[in-house]
Amino acid sequence: MFEKVLVANRGEIAVRVMAACEELGIDTVAVYSDADRSAGHVDYADEAYNVGPAPASDSYLDQETIIETAQQAGADAIHPGYGFLAENAEFARRVEETDDITWVGPPSDAMRTLGEKTKARTVMQEAGVPVVPGTTDPVEDAEAVRELGEEYGYPLAIKAEGGGGGRGMKIVRSAEEVDDALESAKREGEAYFDNDSVYVEKYLEAPKHIEVQIIADEHGNVRHLGERDCSLQRRHQKVIEEAPSPALDADLRAEIGEAARQGVREAGYTNAGTVEFLVEDGEFYFMEVNTRIQVEHTATEEVTGIDLVRWQLRVAAGEALAFTQDEVDIDGHAIEFRINAENPAEEFAPTPGALETYDPPTSIGVRLDDAVTQGDEIGGDYDSMIAKLIVHAEDRERCLARSKRALEHFDVEGVATTIPFHRLMLDDEVFVSGSHTTKYLDEELDGAAIADAVDRWGTDSTAGGDGQPRTAELAVEVDGQRFDVVVEEGLTPAADSSSGTGGGGSAGGDAGGGGGAAAATAGGVTAEMQGTVLSVDVAEGDDVTEGDVICVLEAMKMENDVVASTSGTVASVPVAEGDSVDMGDTLVVLE
Ligand code: MV4
């Protein structure tokens, strides 16, 4: 097994990979950009190296620097995560050719073949996998496309050879549209993928997106780990993924899994990968292969109990898969929700900002993959993902109920998130029935319902931003019963410094005034409850201004900032860090 792995990525996937390394006893190396000096993945790693400025092209995509960093750190393998360099066959080849460093991924040759869509179609066809009716050779001119239109009927899809993720795909509904569509598909292919070669498929109007998880070793063993249903997409961005698909029966499931297995075997594939299919009217058609670990691999892990990233590392190190196909069992149902810093009411526009509150749900059946903590900034340099919430239960119905519970208890403030959208989906008849197709979000769901969901469940900064007064919550007790009341902001008493969450209190910088664990007025600042002095932030002779933190007191398992309620000079500090204090003890004397 490897001794030290460099993870060429950031965010939750970098942490996920490092977690697998840690359990295997492998040391971890992070790389980071100038924008990520204090990012979660840097914190998690055993060592970390700056690989350049914030733009990904100057850091996370800098192949040479990353390989040099691995050599400098003495790493014996590189794991690319997803995105960035993960599907770059050229980078994979460079790593393969570097002495003493192993590529944790498929062979670069297999990546190259499967990355070219007509080659991938050919490989699949040779393995007996059904592909969408169409060409396996590039089409040269409009006349050839029109002939295919005669043969298969319209609509057709013209797709760029290097394409994927919806880029470079044009739909043609009649012979008259062929010339323009062909030209524009070629133009996009050239612009995005440096390849103006295109091919043609029959266009399916409303398919489901079903993808099969594969893992293969270097000893000829290929296993599939069942499918995921990723039909809920917005402009080719997945938002919710689930395993297994609510739309497949046992026969189709077995058939599609077996097809995926045969297909990647034919391609000489090893490591983890995903075979994507379109499913319509009980038929399935190969679409493309993703030669990486995917964002939504977690849903498969939850239902199979198989640690996919651990197996990526083990097969890359030459180990054989230790389970047979028969031993892969699908246990219950799992749904992954992408929690992004985006405003669903504004076309899902990214909303960078600080996570003023970040309090994810816990308890049975809930997994959270993230790399952030409260107070972190969600920057605009990379994707907008804050976390992945993965919910697992015995069956889909219970998984939906558990998901409602988990999302209700996911508190985020400071940025807009996709949480209100997910809560909307859990009440949405079409999604709940499992019959949604890839068209559903873009063409069928009512946009007003999304805006309503954000109004109802969004945070203050996203809900009702229409000139109405901002409100705040206040807890009151009436005859011993607790009530949460909503009051207009400005009518609230000075913010209570003890109301933060444990540990986050001092970092949150809530210096709103005295109260809570201590009272800090001119003269003696006294502790209002028994506690421990965590830090003393002033010394004799210091001038303090109203609102300055004087010391931090831990009381009732919370960190409380003791702040000055008036300005003055510190006359004496009778306590020191680590002291236990009782209620009424003087902490600081101001004059
Ligand atoms: C298709 C298709 C229908 N018929 N191909 C979109 C992304 C790209 N990777 C392939 N895509 C599609 N290819 C044929 N022949 C419909 C889509 C498609 C889609 C596929 C998966 C998930 C969401 C989608 C949304 C719109 C269109």
Side-chain angles (χ1 to χ4, degrees), residues 117 121 132-133 156-157 159 163-167 169 171 201-210 230-231 233 235-236 238 276-278 287-288 437-439 442-443:
K117 306 301 162 188
R121 275 166 69 81
V132 189
L156 294 177
K159 296 186 174 186
R167 279 179 159 183
M169 177 172 92
I171 302 159
E201 288 178 358
K202 168 125 195 77
Y203 183 71
L204 309 178
E205 290 284 1
K208 283 208 139 253
H209 172 123
I210 304 292
C230 309
S231 300
Q233 304 201 4
R235 309 224 173 131
H236 305 294
K238 294 168 184 163
E276 294 187 350
F277 295 92
L278 296 176
M287 191 165 49
E288 52 194 70
T437 71
T438 52
K439 274 174 60 167
D442 289 329
E443 295 178 35

Coordinates of all heavy atoms in Angstrom, one line a residue, residues 117 121 132-133 156-157 159 163-167 169 171 201-210 230-231 233 235-236 238 276-278 287-288 437-439 442-443, ligand 1:
K117 N -16.3 10.5 -27.7 CA -17.6 9.9 -27.6 C -17.8 8.8 -28.7 O -18.5 7.8 -28.4 CB -18.7 10.9 -27.7 CG -18.5 12.1 -26.7 CD -18.5 11.5 -25.2 CE -17.9 12.6 -24.3 NZ -17.7 12.1 -22.9
R121 N -18.7 4.9 -27.9 CA -19.8 4.2 -28.5 C -19.4 2.9 -29.2 O -20.1 1.9 -29.1 CB -20.5 5.1 -29.5 CG -21.5 6.1 -28.9 CD -21.9 7.2 -29.8 NE -22.8 6.7 -31.0 CZ -24.1 6.5 -30.9 NH1 -24.7 6.7 -29.7 NH2 -24.8 6.2 -31.9
V132 N -27.6 4.6 -28.1 CA -28.7 5.3 -28.8 C -28.5 5.2 -30.3 O -27.3 5.3 -30.8 CB -28.7 6.8 -28.4 CG1 -29.9 7.5 -28.9 CG2 -28.5 7.0 -26.9
P133 N -29.5 4.8 -31.1 CA -29.4 4.7 -32.5 C -28.7 6.0 -33.1 O -29.1 7.1 -32.7 CB -30.8 4.6 -33.0 CG -31.6 4.0 -31.9 CD -30.9 4.5 -30.6
L156 N -33.3 14.7 -33.9 CA -31.9 14.2 -33.8 C -31.1 15.0 -32.8 O -31.5 16.2 -32.6 CB -31.2 14.2 -35.1 CG -31.7 13.3 -36.2 CD1 -30.9 13.6 -37.5 CD2 -31.7 11.9 -35.9
A157 N -30.1 14.4 -32.2 CA -29.1 15.2 -31.4 C -27.8 15.2 -32.2 O -27.3 14.2 -32.6 CB -29.0 14.6 -30.1
K159 N -24.0 15.9 -31.6 CA -23.2 16.1 -30.4 C -21.7 16.2 -30.7 O -21.2 15.6 -31.7 CB -23.3 14.8 -29.5 CG -24.7 14.6 -28.9 CD -24.7 13.5 -27.9 CE -26.1 13.3 -27.2 NZ -26.1 12.3 -26.2
G163 N -17.5 16.3 -26.3 CA -18.5 16.9 -25.5 C -18.8 16.2 -24.2 O -18.1 15.3 -23.8
G164 N -19.8 16.6 -23.5 CA -20.2 16.1 -22.2 C -20.8 17.2 -21.4 O -20.6 18.4 -21.7
G165 N -21.7 16.8 -20.5 CA -22.3 17.8 -19.6 C -23.2 18.8 -20.4 O -23.4 19.9 -19.9
G166 N -23.6 18.4 -21.6 CA -24.6 19.2 -22.3 C -24.0 20.2 -23.3 O -24.6 20.8 -24.1
R167 N -22.7 20.4 -23.1 CA -22.0 21.4 -24.0 C -21.8 20.7 -25.4 O -21.4 19.6 -25.5 CB -20.6 21.7 -23.5 CG -20.8 22.8 -22.4 CD -19.4 23.1 -21.9 NE -19.4 24.4 -21.2 CZ -18.3 25.0 -20.7 NH1 -17.1 24.4 -20.8 NH2 -18.3 26.2 -20.1
M169 N -24.1 20.2 -27.7 CA -25.2 19.3 -28.1 C -26.3 20.2 -28.7 O -26.7 21.2 -28.1 CB -25.8 18.5 -27.0 CG -27.0 17.6 -27.4 SD -27.5 16.5 -26.1 CE -28.8 17.5 -25.3
I171 N -30.1 20.1 -30.7 CA -31.3 19.3 -31.1 C -31.8 19.8 -32.4 O -32.0 21.0 -32.6 CB -32.3 19.3 -29.9 CG1 -31.7 18.9 -28.6 CG2 -33.6 18.5 -30.3 CD1 -32.4 19.3 -27.4
E201 N -27.1 11.3 -33.0 CA -27.9 10.3 -32.3 C -29.4 10.6 -32.5 O -29.7 11.8 -32.6 CB -27.6 10.2 -30.8 CG -26.3 9.7 -30.4 CD -26.1 9.7 -28.9 OE1 -26.9 10.2 -28.2 OE2 -25.0 9.2 -28.5
K202 N -30.2 9.6 -32.4 CA -31.7 9.9 -32.3 C -31.8 10.6 -30.9 O -31.2 10.2 -29.9 CB -32.4 8.6 -32.3 CG -33.9 8.7 -31.9 CD -34.8 8.2 -33.0 CE -36.2 8.6 -32.7 NZ -36.5 10.0 -33.1
Y203 N -32.6 11.7 -30.9 CA -32.8 12.4 -29.6 C -34.0 11.9 -28.9 O -35.2 11.8 -29.4 CB -33.1 13.9 -29.9 CG -33.2 14.7 -28.6 CD1 -32.1 14.9 -27.8 CD2 -34.4 15.2 -28.2 CE1 -32.2 15.7 -26.6 CE2 -34.6 16.0 -27.1 CZ -33.5 16.2 -26.3 OH -33.6 16.9 -25.1
L204 N -33.8 11.5 -27.6 CA -34.9 11.0 -26.8 C -35.5 12.2 -26.0 O -34.7 12.9 -25.4 CB -34.3 9.9 -25.8 CG -33.5 8.8 -26.3 CD1 -33.0 7.9 -25.2 CD2 -34.3 8.0 -27.3
E205 N -36.8 12.3 -26.1 CA -37.4 13.5 -25.5 C -37.4 13.6 -24.0 O -37.2 14.7 -23.5 CB -38.9 13.6 -26.0 CG -39.1 13.8 -27.5 CD -38.8 15.3 -27.9 OE1 -38.5 16.1 -27.0 OE2 -39.0 15.6 -29.1
A206 N -37.7 12.6 -23.3 CA -37.8 12.7 -21.9 C -37.3 11.4 -21.2 O -38.0 10.7 -20.6 CB -39.3 12.9 -21.5
P207 N -35.9 11.3 -21.3 CA -35.4 10.1 -20.6 C -35.1 10.3 -19.2 O -35.1 11.4 -18.7 CB -34.1 9.9 -21.4 CG -33.7 11.3 -21.7 CD -34.9 12.1 -21.9
K208 N -34.8 9.2 -18.5 CA -34.2 9.2 -17.2 C -32.7 9.1 -17.3 O -32.2 8.5 -18.2 CB -34.8 8.1 -16.3 CG -36.2 8.3 -15.8 CD -36.4 7.6 -14.5 CE -37.2 8.4 -13.5 NZ -36.4 8.9 -12.4
H209 N -32.0 9.7 -16.4 CA -30.5 9.6 -16.4 C -30.2 8.6 -15.3 O -30.4 8.8 -14.1 CB -29.9 11.0 -16.0 CG -28.4 10.9 -15.8 ND1 -27.5 11.6 -16.6 CD2 -27.7 10.2 -14.9 CE1 -26.3 11.4 -16.2 NE2 -26.3 10.5 -15.2
I210 N -29.7 7.4 -15.7 CA -29.4 6.4 -14.8 C -27.9 6.1 -15.0 O -27.4 5.9 -16.1 CB -30.2 5.1 -15.1 CG1 -31.7 5.4 -15.1 CG2 -29.8 4.0 -14.2 CD1 -32.3 5.7 -13.7
C230 N -30.0 10.1 -11.5 CA -29.6 11.5 -11.4 C -30.5 12.3 -12.3 O -30.0 13.2 -13.0 CB -28.1 11.6 -11.8 SG -27.1 10.5 -10.8
S231 N -31.8 11.9 -12.4 CA -32.6 12.6 -13.4 C -33.0 14.0 -13.0 O -33.4 14.8 -13.8 CB -33.9 11.8 -13.6 OG -33.6 10.5 -14.1
Q233 N -32.0 17.2 -12.6 CA -30.9 18.1 -13.0 C -31.4 19.4 -13.5 O -32.5 19.5 -14.0 CB -30.1 17.5 -14.2 CG -29.6 16.1 -13.9 CD -28.4 15.8 -14.9 OE1 -28.0 16.6 -15.6 NE2 -28.0 14.5 -14.8
R235 N -30.2 22.5 -15.9 CA -29.2 22.9 -16.9 C -27.9 22.0 -16.8 O -26.8 22.5 -16.7 CB -28.8 24.4 -16.7 CG -30.1 25.2 -16.6 CD -29.9 26.5 -17.4 NE -31.2 27.2 -17.5 CZ -31.3 28.5 -17.2 NH1 -30.2 29.2 -17.0 NH2 -32.5 29.1 -17.3
H236 N -28.1 20.7 -16.8 CA -27.1 19.7 -16.7 C -26.3 19.7 -15.4 O -25.3 19.0 -15.3 CB -26.1 19.9 -17.9 CG -26.8 19.9 -19.2 ND1 -27.5 18.7 -19.7 CD2 -27.0 20.8 -20.2 CE1 -28.0 19.0 -20.9 NE2 -27.8 20.3 -21.2
K238 N -26.5 18.4 -11.6 CA -27.2 17.5 -10.8 C -27.5 18.2 -9.5 O -26.7 19.0 -9.0 CB -26.5 16.2 -10.5 CG -26.3 15.4 -11.8 CD -25.3 14.3 -11.6 CE -25.1 13.6 -12.9 NZ -23.8 12.7 -12.9
E276 N -22.9 6.0 -17.8 CA -24.2 6.7 -17.8 C -25.0 6.2 -18.9 O -24.6 5.9 -20.0 CB -23.9 8.2 -18.1 CG -23.2 8.9 -17.0 CD -23.1 10.4 -17.3 OE1 -23.5 10.9 -18.4 OE2 -22.7 11.2 -16.4
F277 N -26.3 6.1 -18.6 CA -27.3 5.6 -19.6 C -28.5 6.5 -19.6 O -28.8 7.2 -18.6 CB -27.9 4.2 -19.2 CG -26.8 3.1 -19.2 CD1 -26.1 2.8 -18.1 CD2 -26.6 2.4 -20.4 CE1 -25.2 1.8 -18.1 CE2 -25.7 1.4 -20.4 CZ -24.9 1.0 -19.3
L278 N -29.2 6.6 -20.7 CA -30.5 7.2 -20.8 C -31.5 6.0 -20.8 O -31.3 5.0 -21.5 CB -30.7 8.0 -22.1 CG -29.7 9.2 -22.3 CD1 -29.9 9.8 -23.6 CD2 -29.9 10.2 -21.1
M287 N -24.7 6.2 -22.8 CA -24.5 7.6 -23.1 C -23.0 8.0 -23.1 O -22.4 8.3 -24.0 CB -25.3 8.6 -22.3 CG -25.3 10.0 -22.7 SD -26.6 11.0 -22.0 CE -26.4 10.7 -20.3
E288 N -22.4 7.9 -21.9 CA -21.0 8.1 -21.8 C -20.4 7.5 -20.5 O -21.1 7.1 -19.6 CB -20.6 9.6 -21.8 CG -21.4 10.5 -20.8 CD -21.3 12.0 -21.2 OE1 -21.8 12.4 -22.2 OE2 -20.6 12.7 -20.4
T437 N -38.2 13.0 -15.1 CA -37.2 12.8 -16.1 C -36.3 14.0 -16.1 O -36.4 14.9 -15.3 CB -37.9 12.7 -17.5 OG1 -38.3 14.0 -17.9 CG2 -39.0 11.7 -17.5
T438 N -35.3 13.9 -17.0 CA -34.2 14.9 -17.1 C -34.8 16.3 -17.5 O -34.2 17.3 -17.4 CB -33.2 14.5 -18.1 OG1 -33.8 14.2 -19.3 CG2 -32.3 13.4 -17.5
K439 N -36.1 16.3 -18.0 CA -36.7 17.5 -18.5 C -37.4 18.2 -17.3 O -37.8 19.4 -17.5 CB -37.8 17.1 -19.5 CG -37.3 17.0 -20.9 CD -38.4 16.6 -21.9 CE -39.6 17.5 -21.9 NZ -40.5 17.2 -23.0
D442 N -36.1 21.8 -15.8 CA -35.9 22.9 -16.8 C -37.2 23.2 -17.5 O -37.4 24.3 -17.9 CB -34.8 22.5 -17.8 CG -33.4 22.5 -17.2 OD1 -33.2 23.3 -16.3 OD2 -32.6 21.7 -17.7
E443 N -38.1 22.2 -17.7 CA -39.2 22.5 -18.5 C -40.6 22.3 -17.9 O -41.6 22.8 -18.4 CB -39.2 21.5 -19.8 CG -38.0 21.9 -20.6 CD -37.8 20.9 -21.8 OE1 -38.9 20.5 -22.4 OE2 -36.7 20.6 -22.2
Ligands
MV4_1 C1 -29.2 13.0 -25.0 C2 -30.5 13.2 -24.6 C3 -31.5 12.7 -25.4 N1 -31.2 11.9 -26.4 N2 -28.9 12.2 -26.1 C4 -27.1 16.0 -21.9 C5 -25.8 15.9 -21.4 C6 -25.0 15.1 -22.3 N3 -24.0 14.4 -21.6 C7 -26.0 14.2 -22.9 N4 -27.3 14.8 -22.7 C8 -28.4 14.3 -23.3 N5 -28.1 13.5 -24.3 C9 -29.9 11.7 -26.8 N6 -29.6 11.0 -27.8 C10 -30.8 14.0 -23.5 C11 -29.7 14.6 -22.8 C12 -30.0 15.4 -21.7 C13 -29.8 15.0 -20.4 C14 -29.1 13.8 -20.1 C15 -28.8 13.5 -18.8 C16 -29.2 14.3 -17.8 C17 -29.9 15.5 -18.1 C18 -30.2 15.8 -19.4 C19 -30.8 17.0 -19.6 C20 -31.1 17.4 -20.9 C21 -30.7 16.6 -21.9

